[in-house]
mmCIF file with all atom_site columns, all heavy atoms in Angstrom:
data_model
loop_
_atom_site.group_PDB
_atom_site.id
_atom_site.type_symbol
_atom_site.label_atom_id
_atom_site.label_alt_id
_atom_site.label_comp_id
_atom_site.label_asym_id
_atom_site.label_entity_id
_atom_site.label_seq_id
_atom_site.pdbx_PDB_ins_code
_atom_site.Cartn_x
_atom_site.Cartn_y
_atom_site.Cartn_z
_atom_site.occupancy
_atom_site.B_iso_or_equiv
_atom_site.pdbx_formal_charge
_atom_site.auth_seq_id
_atom_site.auth_comp_id
_atom_site.auth_asym_id
_atom_site.auth_atom_id
_atom_site.pdbx_PDB_model_num
ATOM 1   N N   . GLY A 1 1  ? 66.192 83.662  -48.112 1.00 91.00 ? 1  GLY A N   1
ATOM 2   C CA  . GLY A 1 1  ? 65.059 84.206  -47.524 1.00 91.00 ? 1  GLY A CA  1
ATOM 3   C C   . GLY A 1 1  ? 64.550 83.465  -46.233 1.00 91.00 ? 1  GLY A C   1
ATOM 4   O O   . GLY A 1 1  ? 64.092 84.028  -45.277 1.00 91.00 ? 1  GLY A O   1
ATOM 5   N N   . ILE A 1 2  ? 64.828 82.184  -46.167 1.00 91.00 ? 2  ILE A N   1
ATOM 6   C CA  . ILE A 1 2  ? 64.475 81.352  -45.016 1.00 91.00 ? 2  ILE A CA  1
ATOM 7   C C   . ILE A 1 2  ? 65.394 81.892  -43.849 1.00 91.00 ? 2  ILE A C   1
ATOM 8   O O   . ILE A 1 2  ? 64.975 81.996  -42.729 1.00 91.00 ? 2  ILE A O   1
ATOM 9   C CB  . ILE A 1 2  ? 64.696 79.935  -45.256 1.00 91.00 ? 2  ILE A CB  1
ATOM 10  C CG1 . ILE A 1 2  ? 63.627 79.449  -46.317 1.00 91.00 ? 2  ILE A CG1 1
ATOM 11  C CG2 . ILE A 1 2  ? 64.492 79.091  -44.078 1.00 91.00 ? 2  ILE A CG2 1
ATOM 12  C CD1 . ILE A 1 2  ? 63.857 77.945  -46.793 1.00 91.00 ? 2  ILE A CD1 1
ATOM 13  N N   . MET A 1 3  ? 66.721 82.090  -44.191 1.00 92.00 ? 3  MET A N   1
ATOM 14  C CA  . MET A 1 3  ? 67.642 82.545  -43.124 1.00 92.00 ? 3  MET A CA  1
ATOM 15  C C   . MET A 1 3  ? 67.301 83.986  -42.656 1.00 92.00 ? 3  MET A C   1
ATOM 16  O O   . MET A 1 3  ? 67.398 84.244  -41.537 1.00 92.00 ? 3  MET A O   1
ATOM 17  C CB  . MET A 1 3  ? 69.082 82.503  -43.739 1.00 92.00 ? 3  MET A CB  1
ATOM 18  C CG  . MET A 1 3  ? 69.626 81.048  -43.637 1.00 92.00 ? 3  MET A CG  1
ATOM 19  S SD  . MET A 1 3  ? 69.851 80.503  -41.972 1.00 92.00 ? 3  MET A SD  1
ATOM 20  C CE  . MET A 1 3  ? 71.113 79.259  -42.238 1.00 92.00 ? 3  MET A CE  1
ATOM 21  N N   . LEU A 1 4  ? 66.962 84.881  -43.592 1.00 93.00 ? 4  LEU A N   1
ATOM 22  C CA  . LEU A 1 4  ? 66.603 86.181  -43.245 1.00 93.00 ? 4  LEU A CA  1
ATOM 23  C C   . LEU A 1 4  ? 65.311 86.197  -42.326 1.00 93.00 ? 4  LEU A C   1
ATOM 24  O O   . LEU A 1 4  ? 65.224 86.998  -41.406 1.00 93.00 ? 4  LEU A O   1
ATOM 25  C CB  . LEU A 1 4  ? 66.327 87.057  -44.529 1.00 93.00 ? 4  LEU A CB  1
ATOM 26  C CG  . LEU A 1 4  ? 65.791 88.540  -44.224 1.00 93.00 ? 4  LEU A CG  1
ATOM 27  C CD1 . LEU A 1 4  ? 66.931 89.258  -43.377 1.00 93.00 ? 4  LEU A CD1 1
ATOM 28  C CD2 . LEU A 1 4  ? 65.617 89.185  -45.531 1.00 93.00 ? 4  LEU A CD2 1
ATOM 29  N N   . ALA A 1 5  ? 64.418 85.328  -42.637 1.00 93.00 ? 5  ALA A N   1
ATOM 30  C CA  . ALA A 1 5  ? 63.116 85.160  -41.777 1.00 93.00 ? 5  ALA A CA  1
ATOM 31  C C   . ALA A 1 5  ? 63.545 84.874  -40.342 1.00 93.00 ? 5  ALA A C   1
ATOM 32  O O   . ALA A 1 5  ? 63.011 85.304  -39.322 1.00 93.00 ? 5  ALA A O   1
ATOM 33  C CB  . ALA A 1 5  ? 62.237 84.228  -42.336 1.00 93.00 ? 5  ALA A CB  1
ATOM 34  N N   . THR A 1 6  ? 64.589 83.943  -40.168 1.00 91.00 ? 6  THR A N   1
ATOM 35  C CA  . THR A 1 6  ? 65.092 83.551  -38.804 1.00 91.00 ? 6  THR A CA  1
ATOM 36  C C   . THR A 1 6  ? 65.662 84.715  -38.152 1.00 91.00 ? 6  THR A C   1
ATOM 37  O O   . THR A 1 6  ? 65.482 84.970  -36.962 1.00 91.00 ? 6  THR A O   1
ATOM 38  C CB  . THR A 1 6  ? 66.051 82.470  -38.898 1.00 91.00 ? 6  THR A CB  1
ATOM 39  O OG1 . THR A 1 6  ? 65.379 81.286  -39.599 1.00 91.00 ? 6  THR A OG1 1
ATOM 40  C CG2 . THR A 1 6  ? 66.538 81.927  -37.573 1.00 91.00 ? 6  THR A CG2 1
ATOM 41  N N   . SER A 1 7  ? 66.439 85.485  -38.869 1.00 92.00 ? 7  SER A N   1
ATOM 42  C CA  . SER A 1 7  ? 67.063 86.718  -38.233 1.00 92.00 ? 7  SER A CA  1
ATOM 43  C C   . SER A 1 7  ? 66.033 87.736  -37.839 1.00 92.00 ? 7  SER A C   1
ATOM 44  O O   . SER A 1 7  ? 66.165 88.289  -36.713 1.00 92.00 ? 7  SER A O   1
ATOM 45  C CB  . SER A 1 7  ? 68.076 87.335  -39.274 1.00 92.00 ? 7  SER A CB  1
ATOM 46  O OG  . SER A 1 7  ? 69.033 86.427  -39.726 1.00 92.00 ? 7  SER A OG  1
ATOM 47  N N   . LEU A 1 8  ? 64.958 87.928  -38.607 1.00 94.00 ? 8  LEU A N   1
ATOM 48  C CA  . LEU A 1 8  ? 63.900 88.861  -38.115 1.00 94.00 ? 8  LEU A CA  1
ATOM 49  C C   . LEU A 1 8  ? 63.187 88.378  -36.864 1.00 94.00 ? 8  LEU A C   1
ATOM 50  O O   . LEU A 1 8  ? 62.773 89.021  -36.007 1.00 94.00 ? 8  LEU A O   1
ATOM 51  C CB  . LEU A 1 8  ? 62.959 89.064  -39.277 1.00 94.00 ? 8  LEU A CB  1
ATOM 52  C CG  . LEU A 1 8  ? 63.483 89.854  -40.532 1.00 94.00 ? 8  LEU A CG  1
ATOM 53  C CD1 . LEU A 1 8  ? 62.478 89.831  -41.598 1.00 94.00 ? 8  LEU A CD1 1
ATOM 54  C CD2 . LEU A 1 8  ? 63.906 91.248  -40.176 1.00 94.00 ? 8  LEU A CD2 1
ATOM 55  N N   . MET A 1 9  ? 63.019 87.030  -36.844 1.00 93.00 ? 9  MET A N   1
ATOM 56  C CA  . MET A 1 9  ? 62.415 86.395  -35.695 1.00 93.00 ? 9  MET A CA  1
ATOM 57  C C   . MET A 1 9  ? 63.245 86.670  -34.343 1.00 93.00 ? 9  MET A C   1
ATOM 58  O O   . MET A 1 9  ? 62.625 86.973  -33.445 1.00 93.00 ? 9  MET A O   1
ATOM 59  C CB  . MET A 1 9  ? 62.284 84.864  -35.903 1.00 93.00 ? 9  MET A CB  1
ATOM 60  C CG  . MET A 1 9  ? 61.619 84.253  -34.791 1.00 93.00 ? 9  MET A CG  1
ATOM 61  S SD  . MET A 1 9  ? 61.716 82.356  -35.011 1.00 93.00 ? 9  MET A SD  1
ATOM 62  C CE  . MET A 1 9  ? 63.489 82.124  -34.672 1.00 93.00 ? 9  MET A CE  1
ATOM 63  N N   . TYR A 1 10 ? 64.515 86.482  -34.436 1.00 91.00 ? 10 TYR A N   1
ATOM 64  C CA  . TYR A 1 10 ? 65.323 86.692  -33.349 1.00 91.00 ? 10 TYR A CA  1
ATOM 65  C C   . TYR A 1 10 ? 65.415 88.182  -32.968 1.00 91.00 ? 10 TYR A C   1
ATOM 66  O O   . TYR A 1 10 ? 65.571 88.496  -31.734 1.00 91.00 ? 10 TYR A O   1
ATOM 67  C CB  . TYR A 1 10 ? 66.678 86.122  -33.530 1.00 91.00 ? 10 TYR A CB  1
ATOM 68  C CG  . TYR A 1 10 ? 66.770 84.652  -33.301 1.00 91.00 ? 10 TYR A CG  1
ATOM 69  C CD1 . TYR A 1 10 ? 67.046 83.715  -34.271 1.00 91.00 ? 10 TYR A CD1 1
ATOM 70  C CD2 . TYR A 1 10 ? 66.485 84.109  -32.008 1.00 91.00 ? 10 TYR A CD2 1
ATOM 71  C CE1 . TYR A 1 10 ? 67.013 82.387  -34.130 1.00 91.00 ? 10 TYR A CE1 1
ATOM 72  C CE2 . TYR A 1 10 ? 66.525 82.761  -31.819 1.00 91.00 ? 10 TYR A CE2 1
ATOM 73  C CZ  . TYR A 1 10 ? 66.824 81.881  -32.877 1.00 91.00 ? 10 TYR A CZ  1
ATOM 74  O OH  . TYR A 1 10 ? 66.803 80.509  -32.634 1.00 91.00 ? 10 TYR A OH  1
ATOM 75  N N   . LEU A 1 11 ? 65.396 89.129  -33.888 1.00 93.00 ? 11 LEU A N   1
ATOM 76  C CA  . LEU A 1 11 ? 65.255 90.515  -33.503 1.00 93.00 ? 11 LEU A CA  1
ATOM 77  C C   . LEU A 1 11 ? 64.050 90.801  -32.726 1.00 93.00 ? 11 LEU A C   1
ATOM 78  O O   . LEU A 1 11 ? 64.012 91.435  -31.716 1.00 93.00 ? 11 LEU A O   1
ATOM 79  C CB  . LEU A 1 11 ? 65.140 91.282  -34.877 1.00 93.00 ? 11 LEU A CB  1
ATOM 80  C CG  . LEU A 1 11 ? 64.912 92.820  -34.768 1.00 93.00 ? 11 LEU A CG  1
ATOM 81  C CD1 . LEU A 1 11 ? 65.862 93.492  -33.903 1.00 93.00 ? 11 LEU A CD1 1
ATOM 82  C CD2 . LEU A 1 11 ? 64.748 93.448  -36.113 1.00 93.00 ? 11 LEU A CD2 1
ATOM 83  N N   . LEU A 1 12 ? 62.830 90.171  -33.164 1.00 93.00 ? 12 LEU A N   1
ATOM 84  C CA  . LEU A 1 12 ? 61.631 90.456  -32.431 1.00 93.00 ? 12 LEU A CA  1
ATOM 85  C C   . LEU A 1 12 ? 61.835 89.828  -31.029 1.00 93.00 ? 12 LEU A C   1
ATOM 86  O O   . LEU A 1 12 ? 61.312 90.416  -30.024 1.00 93.00 ? 12 LEU A O   1
ATOM 87  C CB  . LEU A 1 12 ? 60.451 89.804  -33.125 1.00 93.00 ? 12 LEU A CB  1
ATOM 88  C CG  . LEU A 1 12 ? 59.110 89.763  -32.357 1.00 93.00 ? 12 LEU A CG  1
ATOM 89  C CD1 . LEU A 1 12 ? 58.577 91.247  -32.165 1.00 93.00 ? 12 LEU A CD1 1
ATOM 90  C CD2 . LEU A 1 12 ? 58.065 88.962  -33.134 1.00 93.00 ? 12 LEU A CD2 1
ATOM 91  N N   . SER A 1 13 ? 62.356 88.643  -30.920 1.00 91.00 ? 13 SER A N   1
ATOM 92  C CA  . SER A 1 13 ? 62.575 88.026  -29.652 1.00 91.00 ? 13 SER A CA  1
ATOM 93  C C   . SER A 1 13 ? 63.430 88.811  -28.757 1.00 91.00 ? 13 SER A C   1
ATOM 94  O O   . SER A 1 13 ? 63.035 88.968  -27.423 1.00 91.00 ? 13 SER A O   1
ATOM 95  C CB  . SER A 1 13 ? 63.143 86.596  -29.865 1.00 91.00 ? 13 SER A CB  1
ATOM 96  O OG  . SER A 1 13 ? 63.393 85.983  -28.600 1.00 91.00 ? 13 SER A OG  1
ATOM 97  N N   . TYR A 1 14 ? 64.392 89.366  -29.188 1.00 92.00 ? 14 TYR A N   1
ATOM 98  C CA  . TYR A 1 14 ? 65.324 90.187  -28.331 1.00 92.00 ? 14 TYR A CA  1
ATOM 99  C C   . TYR A 1 14 ? 64.596 91.409  -27.808 1.00 92.00 ? 14 TYR A C   1
ATOM 100 O O   . TYR A 1 14 ? 64.663 91.822  -26.591 1.00 92.00 ? 14 TYR A O   1
ATOM 101 C CB  . TYR A 1 14 ? 66.606 90.615  -29.075 1.00 92.00 ? 14 TYR A CB  1
ATOM 102 C CG  . TYR A 1 14 ? 67.456 91.447  -28.351 1.00 92.00 ? 14 TYR A CG  1
ATOM 103 C CD1 . TYR A 1 14 ? 68.268 90.971  -27.261 1.00 92.00 ? 14 TYR A CD1 1
ATOM 104 C CD2 . TYR A 1 14 ? 67.404 92.880  -28.408 1.00 92.00 ? 14 TYR A CD2 1
ATOM 105 C CE1 . TYR A 1 14 ? 69.074 91.850  -26.526 1.00 92.00 ? 14 TYR A CE1 1
ATOM 106 C CE2 . TYR A 1 14 ? 68.200 93.722  -27.687 1.00 92.00 ? 14 TYR A CE2 1
ATOM 107 C CZ  . TYR A 1 14 ? 69.065 93.176  -26.731 1.00 92.00 ? 14 TYR A CZ  1
ATOM 108 O OH  . TYR A 1 14 ? 69.799 93.953  -25.964 1.00 92.00 ? 14 TYR A OH  1
ATOM 109 N N   . LEU A 1 15 ? 63.930 92.055  -28.689 1.00 92.00 ? 15 LEU A N   1
ATOM 110 C CA  . LEU A 1 15 ? 63.196 93.297  -28.301 1.00 92.00 ? 15 LEU A CA  1
ATOM 111 C C   . LEU A 1 15 ? 62.090 93.010  -27.207 1.00 92.00 ? 15 LEU A C   1
ATOM 112 O O   . LEU A 1 15 ? 61.943 93.559  -26.297 1.00 92.00 ? 15 LEU A O   1
ATOM 113 C CB  . LEU A 1 15 ? 62.487 93.984  -29.571 1.00 92.00 ? 15 LEU A CB  1
ATOM 114 C CG  . LEU A 1 15 ? 63.441 94.555  -30.599 1.00 92.00 ? 15 LEU A CG  1
ATOM 115 C CD1 . LEU A 1 15 ? 62.659 95.149  -31.811 1.00 92.00 ? 15 LEU A CD1 1
ATOM 116 C CD2 . LEU A 1 15 ? 64.372 95.718  -29.900 1.00 92.00 ? 15 LEU A CD2 1
ATOM 117 N N   . CYS A 1 16 ? 61.439 91.897  -27.463 1.00 91.00 ? 16 CYS A N   1
ATOM 118 C CA  . CYS A 1 16 ? 60.343 91.450  -26.481 1.00 91.00 ? 16 CYS A CA  1
ATOM 119 C C   . CYS A 1 16 ? 60.962 91.190  -25.095 1.00 91.00 ? 16 CYS A C   1
ATOM 120 O O   . CYS A 1 16 ? 60.493 91.633  -24.056 1.00 91.00 ? 16 CYS A O   1
ATOM 121 C CB  . CYS A 1 16 ? 59.615 90.293  -27.017 1.00 91.00 ? 16 CYS A CB  1
ATOM 122 S SG  . CYS A 1 16 ? 58.507 90.679  -28.432 1.00 91.00 ? 16 CYS A SG  1
ATOM 123 N N   . TYR A 1 17 ? 61.961 90.417  -25.110 1.00 89.00 ? 17 TYR A N   1
ATOM 124 C CA  . TYR A 1 17 ? 62.563 89.982  -23.804 1.00 89.00 ? 17 TYR A CA  1
ATOM 125 C C   . TYR A 1 17 ? 63.306 91.185  -23.046 1.00 89.00 ? 17 TYR A C   1
ATOM 126 O O   . TYR A 1 17 ? 63.200 91.350  -21.887 1.00 89.00 ? 17 TYR A O   1
ATOM 127 C CB  . TYR A 1 17 ? 63.589 88.906  -24.003 1.00 89.00 ? 17 TYR A CB  1
ATOM 128 C CG  . TYR A 1 17 ? 62.967 87.521  -23.950 1.00 89.00 ? 17 TYR A CG  1
ATOM 129 C CD1 . TYR A 1 17 ? 62.787 86.865  -25.126 1.00 89.00 ? 17 TYR A CD1 1
ATOM 130 C CD2 . TYR A 1 17 ? 62.667 86.966  -22.748 1.00 89.00 ? 17 TYR A CD2 1
ATOM 131 C CE1 . TYR A 1 17 ? 62.096 85.597  -25.116 1.00 89.00 ? 17 TYR A CE1 1
ATOM 132 C CE2 . TYR A 1 17 ? 62.036 85.702  -22.702 1.00 89.00 ? 17 TYR A CE2 1
ATOM 133 C CZ  . TYR A 1 17 ? 61.780 85.037  -23.856 1.00 89.00 ? 17 TYR A CZ  1
ATOM 134 O OH  . TYR A 1 17 ? 61.222 83.793  -23.826 1.00 89.00 ? 17 TYR A OH  1
ATOM 135 N N   . PHE A 1 18 ? 63.818 92.105  -23.858 1.00 89.00 ? 18 PHE A N   1
ATOM 136 C CA  . PHE A 1 18 ? 64.505 93.251  -23.232 1.00 89.00 ? 18 PHE A CA  1
ATOM 137 C C   . PHE A 1 18 ? 63.582 94.183  -22.665 1.00 89.00 ? 18 PHE A C   1
ATOM 138 O O   . PHE A 1 18 ? 63.747 94.528  -21.464 1.00 89.00 ? 18 PHE A O   1
ATOM 139 C CB  . PHE A 1 18 ? 65.331 94.012  -24.360 1.00 89.00 ? 18 PHE A CB  1
ATOM 140 C CG  . PHE A 1 18 ? 65.979 95.233  -23.862 1.00 89.00 ? 18 PHE A CG  1
ATOM 141 C CD1 . PHE A 1 18 ? 67.232 95.105  -23.134 1.00 89.00 ? 18 PHE A CD1 1
ATOM 142 C CD2 . PHE A 1 18 ? 65.523 96.415  -24.116 1.00 89.00 ? 18 PHE A CD2 1
ATOM 143 C CE1 . PHE A 1 18 ? 67.914 96.231  -22.726 1.00 89.00 ? 18 PHE A CE1 1
ATOM 144 C CE2 . PHE A 1 18 ? 66.222 97.601  -23.726 1.00 89.00 ? 18 PHE A CE2 1
ATOM 145 C CZ  . PHE A 1 18 ? 67.426 97.470  -22.916 1.00 89.00 ? 18 PHE A CZ  1
ATOM 146 N N   . PHE A 1 19 ? 62.447 94.452  -23.277 1.00 88.00 ? 19 PHE A N   1
ATOM 147 C CA  . PHE A 1 19 ? 61.464 95.390  -22.621 1.00 88.00 ? 19 PHE A CA  1
ATOM 148 C C   . PHE A 1 19 ? 60.790 94.704  -21.455 1.00 88.00 ? 19 PHE A C   1
ATOM 149 O O   . PHE A 1 19 ? 60.348 95.312  -20.582 1.00 88.00 ? 19 PHE A O   1
ATOM 150 C CB  . PHE A 1 19 ? 60.541 95.860  -23.708 1.00 88.00 ? 19 PHE A CB  1
ATOM 151 C CG  . PHE A 1 19 ? 61.131 96.901  -24.696 1.00 88.00 ? 19 PHE A CG  1
ATOM 152 C CD1 . PHE A 1 19 ? 61.445 96.668  -26.005 1.00 88.00 ? 19 PHE A CD1 1
ATOM 153 C CD2 . PHE A 1 19 ? 61.523 98.158  -24.121 1.00 88.00 ? 19 PHE A CD2 1
ATOM 154 C CE1 . PHE A 1 19 ? 61.967 97.614  -26.774 1.00 88.00 ? 19 PHE A CE1 1
ATOM 155 C CE2 . PHE A 1 19 ? 62.156 99.044  -24.914 1.00 88.00 ? 19 PHE A CE2 1
ATOM 156 C CZ  . PHE A 1 19 ? 62.395 98.894  -26.283 1.00 88.00 ? 19 PHE A CZ  1
ATOM 157 N N   . ALA A 1 20 ? 60.537 93.359  -21.616 1.00 87.00 ? 20 ALA A N   1
ATOM 158 C CA  . ALA A 1 20 ? 59.928 92.577  -20.531 1.00 87.00 ? 20 ALA A CA  1
ATOM 159 C C   . ALA A 1 20 ? 60.800 92.584  -19.318 1.00 87.00 ? 20 ALA A C   1
ATOM 160 O O   . ALA A 1 20 ? 60.210 92.833  -18.169 1.00 87.00 ? 20 ALA A O   1
ATOM 161 C CB  . ALA A 1 20 ? 59.594 91.223  -20.966 1.00 87.00 ? 20 ALA A CB  1
ATOM 162 N N   . VAL A 1 21 ? 62.079 92.378  -19.509 1.00 84.00 ? 21 VAL A N   1
ATOM 163 C CA  . VAL A 1 21 ? 62.947 92.414  -18.327 1.00 84.00 ? 21 VAL A CA  1
ATOM 164 C C   . VAL A 1 21 ? 62.990 93.844  -17.650 1.00 84.00 ? 21 VAL A C   1
ATOM 165 O O   . VAL A 1 21 ? 62.986 94.098  -16.299 1.00 84.00 ? 21 VAL A O   1
ATOM 166 C CB  . VAL A 1 21 ? 64.457 92.022  -18.642 1.00 84.00 ? 21 VAL A CB  1
ATOM 167 C CG1 . VAL A 1 21 ? 65.388 92.421  -17.605 1.00 84.00 ? 21 VAL A CG1 1
ATOM 168 C CG2 . VAL A 1 21 ? 64.412 90.593  -19.051 1.00 84.00 ? 21 VAL A CG2 1
ATOM 169 N N   . LEU A 1 22 ? 63.010 94.957  -18.527 1.00 82.00 ? 22 LEU A N   1
ATOM 170 C CA  . LEU A 1 22 ? 62.972 96.280  -17.919 1.00 82.00 ? 22 LEU A CA  1
ATOM 171 C C   . LEU A 1 22 ? 61.696 96.553  -17.193 1.00 82.00 ? 22 LEU A C   1
ATOM 172 O O   . LEU A 1 22 ? 61.669 97.119  -16.113 1.00 82.00 ? 22 LEU A O   1
ATOM 173 C CB  . LEU A 1 22 ? 63.169 97.272  -19.098 1.00 82.00 ? 22 LEU A CB  1
ATOM 174 C CG  . LEU A 1 22 ? 64.561 97.347  -19.714 1.00 82.00 ? 22 LEU A CG  1
ATOM 175 C CD1 . LEU A 1 22 ? 64.572 98.439  -20.816 1.00 82.00 ? 22 LEU A CD1 1
ATOM 176 C CD2 . LEU A 1 22 ? 65.638 97.599  -18.680 1.00 82.00 ? 22 LEU A CD2 1
ATOM 177 N N   . LYS A 1 23 ? 60.541 96.232  -17.732 1.00 77.00 ? 23 LYS A N   1
ATOM 178 C CA  . LYS A 1 23 ? 59.217 96.476  -17.156 1.00 77.00 ? 23 LYS A CA  1
ATOM 179 C C   . LYS A 1 23 ? 59.062 95.725  -15.923 1.00 77.00 ? 23 LYS A C   1
ATOM 180 O O   . LYS A 1 23 ? 58.654 96.142  -14.859 1.00 77.00 ? 23 LYS A O   1
ATOM 181 C CB  . LYS A 1 23 ? 58.191 96.145  -18.244 1.00 77.00 ? 23 LYS A CB  1
ATOM 182 C CG  . LYS A 1 23 ? 56.780 96.433  -17.657 1.00 77.00 ? 23 LYS A CG  1
ATOM 183 C CD  . LYS A 1 23 ? 55.658 96.053  -18.647 1.00 77.00 ? 23 LYS A CD  1
ATOM 184 C CE  . LYS A 1 23 ? 54.303 96.320  -18.016 1.00 77.00 ? 23 LYS A CE  1
ATOM 185 N NZ  . LYS A 1 23 ? 53.145 96.061  -19.008 1.00 77.00 ? 23 LYS A NZ  1
ATOM 186 N N   . TYR A 1 24 ? 59.396 94.344  -15.945 1.00 68.00 ? 24 TYR A N   1
ATOM 187 C CA  . TYR A 1 24 ? 59.271 93.560  -14.661 1.00 68.00 ? 24 TYR A CA  1
ATOM 188 C C   . TYR A 1 24 ? 60.203 94.068  -13.627 1.00 68.00 ? 24 TYR A C   1
ATOM 189 O O   . TYR A 1 24 ? 59.769 94.148  -12.470 1.00 68.00 ? 24 TYR A O   1
ATOM 190 C CB  . TYR A 1 24 ? 59.619 92.069  -15.063 1.00 68.00 ? 24 TYR A CB  1
ATOM 191 C CG  . TYR A 1 24 ? 59.417 91.128  -13.923 1.00 68.00 ? 24 TYR A CG  1
ATOM 192 C CD1 . TYR A 1 24 ? 58.220 91.039  -13.374 1.00 68.00 ? 24 TYR A CD1 1
ATOM 193 C CD2 . TYR A 1 24 ? 60.559 90.527  -13.333 1.00 68.00 ? 24 TYR A CD2 1
ATOM 194 C CE1 . TYR A 1 24 ? 58.069 90.108  -12.275 1.00 68.00 ? 24 TYR A CE1 1
ATOM 195 C CE2 . TYR A 1 24 ? 60.377 89.597  -12.332 1.00 68.00 ? 24 TYR A CE2 1
ATOM 196 C CZ  . TYR A 1 24 ? 59.155 89.316  -11.834 1.00 68.00 ? 24 TYR A CZ  1
ATOM 197 O OH  . TYR A 1 24 ? 58.964 88.570  -10.760 1.00 68.00 ? 24 TYR A OH  1
ATOM 198 N N   . GLY A 1 25 ? 61.441 94.433  -13.859 1.00 55.00 ? 25 GLY A N   1
ATOM 199 C CA  . GLY A 1 25 ? 62.314 94.975  -12.941 1.00 55.00 ? 25 GLY A CA  1
ATOM 200 C C   . GLY A 1 25 ? 61.883 96.171  -12.341 1.00 55.00 ? 25 GLY A C   1
ATOM 201 O O   . GLY A 1 25 ? 61.893 96.422  -11.063 1.00 55.00 ? 25 GLY A O   1
ATOM 202 N N   . ALA A 1 26 ? 61.228 97.178  -13.165 1.00 46.00 ? 26 ALA A N   1
ATOM 203 C CA  . ALA A 1 26 ? 60.703 98.332  -12.616 1.00 46.00 ? 26 ALA A CA  1
ATOM 204 C C   . ALA A 1 26 ? 59.561 98.171  -11.739 1.00 46.00 ? 26 ALA A C   1
ATOM 205 O O   . ALA A 1 26 ? 59.302 98.753  -10.704 1.00 46.00 ? 26 ALA A O   1
ATOM 206 C CB  . ALA A 1 26 ? 60.380 99.253  -13.859 1.00 46.00 ? 26 ALA A CB  1
ATOM 207 N N   . THR A 1 27 ? 58.683 97.152  -12.121 1.00 43.00 ? 27 THR A N   1
ATOM 208 C CA  . THR A 1 27 ? 57.522 96.835  -11.342 1.00 43.00 ? 27 THR A CA  1
ATOM 209 C C   . THR A 1 27 ? 57.933 96.292  -9.995  1.00 43.00 ? 27 THR A C   1
ATOM 210 O O   . THR A 1 27 ? 57.349 96.725  -8.974  1.00 43.00 ? 27 THR A O   1
ATOM 211 C CB  . THR A 1 27 ? 56.658 95.785  -12.039 1.00 43.00 ? 27 THR A CB  1
ATOM 212 O OG1 . THR A 1 27 ? 56.243 96.279  -13.318 1.00 43.00 ? 27 THR A OG1 1
ATOM 213 C CG2 . THR A 1 27 ? 55.370 95.473  -11.212 1.00 43.00 ? 27 THR A CG2 1
ATOM 214 N N   . LYS A 1 28 ? 58.973 95.479  -9.975  1.00 47.00 ? 28 LYS A N   1
ATOM 215 C CA  . LYS A 1 28 ? 59.445 94.843  -8.696  1.00 47.00 ? 28 LYS A CA  1
ATOM 216 C C   . LYS A 1 28 ? 59.973 96.011  -7.722  1.00 47.00 ? 28 LYS A C   1
ATOM 217 O O   . LYS A 1 28 ? 59.588 96.012  -6.522  1.00 47.00 ? 28 LYS A O   1
ATOM 218 C CB  . LYS A 1 28 ? 60.426 93.795  -8.871  1.00 47.00 ? 28 LYS A CB  1
ATOM 219 C CG  . LYS A 1 28 ? 59.987 92.595  -9.569  1.00 47.00 ? 28 LYS A CG  1
ATOM 220 C CD  . LYS A 1 28 ? 59.016 91.849  -8.686  1.00 47.00 ? 28 LYS A CD  1
ATOM 221 C CE  . LYS A 1 28 ? 59.756 91.051  -7.669  1.00 47.00 ? 28 LYS A CE  1
ATOM 222 N NZ  . LYS A 1 28 ? 58.948 90.171  -6.793  1.00 47.00 ? 28 LYS A NZ  1
ATOM 223 N N   . LYS A 1 29 ? 60.716 96.995  -8.239  1.00 43.00 ? 29 LYS A N   1
ATOM 224 C CA  . LYS A 1 29 ? 61.242 98.053  -7.560  1.00 43.00 ? 29 LYS A CA  1
ATOM 225 C C   . LYS A 1 29 ? 60.101 98.851  -6.969  1.00 43.00 ? 29 LYS A C   1
ATOM 226 O O   . LYS A 1 29 ? 60.157 99.277  -5.769  1.00 43.00 ? 29 LYS A O   1
ATOM 227 C CB  . LYS A 1 29 ? 62.161 98.852  -8.397  1.00 43.00 ? 29 LYS A CB  1
ATOM 228 C CG  . LYS A 1 29 ? 63.441 98.136  -8.648  1.00 43.00 ? 29 LYS A CG  1
ATOM 229 C CD  . LYS A 1 29 ? 64.488 99.107  -9.460  1.00 43.00 ? 29 LYS A CD  1
ATOM 230 C CE  . LYS A 1 29 ? 65.810 98.428  -9.671  1.00 43.00 ? 29 LYS A CE  1
ATOM 231 N NZ  . LYS A 1 29 ? 66.690 99.331  -10.439 1.00 43.00 ? 29 LYS A NZ  1
ATOM 232 N N   . THR A 1 30 ? 59.062 99.199  -7.746  1.00 37.00 ? 30 THR A N   1
ATOM 233 C CA  . THR A 1 30 ? 58.062 100.058 -7.200  1.00 37.00 ? 30 THR A CA  1
ATOM 234 C C   . THR A 1 30 ? 57.271 99.397  -6.160  1.00 37.00 ? 30 THR A C   1
ATOM 235 O O   . THR A 1 30 ? 56.920 99.979  -5.187  1.00 37.00 ? 30 THR A O   1
ATOM 236 C CB  . THR A 1 30 ? 57.081 100.339 -8.412  1.00 37.00 ? 30 THR A CB  1
ATOM 237 O OG1 . THR A 1 30 ? 57.772 100.884 -9.489  1.00 37.00 ? 30 THR A OG1 1
ATOM 238 C CG2 . THR A 1 30 ? 55.930 101.271 -8.048  1.00 37.00 ? 30 THR A CG2 1
#
């Protein structure tokens, strides 16, 4: 369960950074 919790944490991290990069890049282009 401790390991699964770590995996869920990195899933959240990836989603946050991915959408942040997309949003930040779009803002810069605009």
Side-chain angles (χ1 to χ4, degrees):
I2 297 174
M3 280 296 199
L4 178 57
T6 302
S7 300
L8 293 174
M9 178 190 72
Y10 280 115
L11 171 60
L12 175 64
S13 180
Y14 177 78
L15 293 175
C16 289
Y17 274 102
F18 179 75
F19 287 113
V21 169
L22 290 182
K23 181 179 179 180
Y24 181 63
T27 302
K28 293 292 286 184
K29 286 183 178 180
T30 302

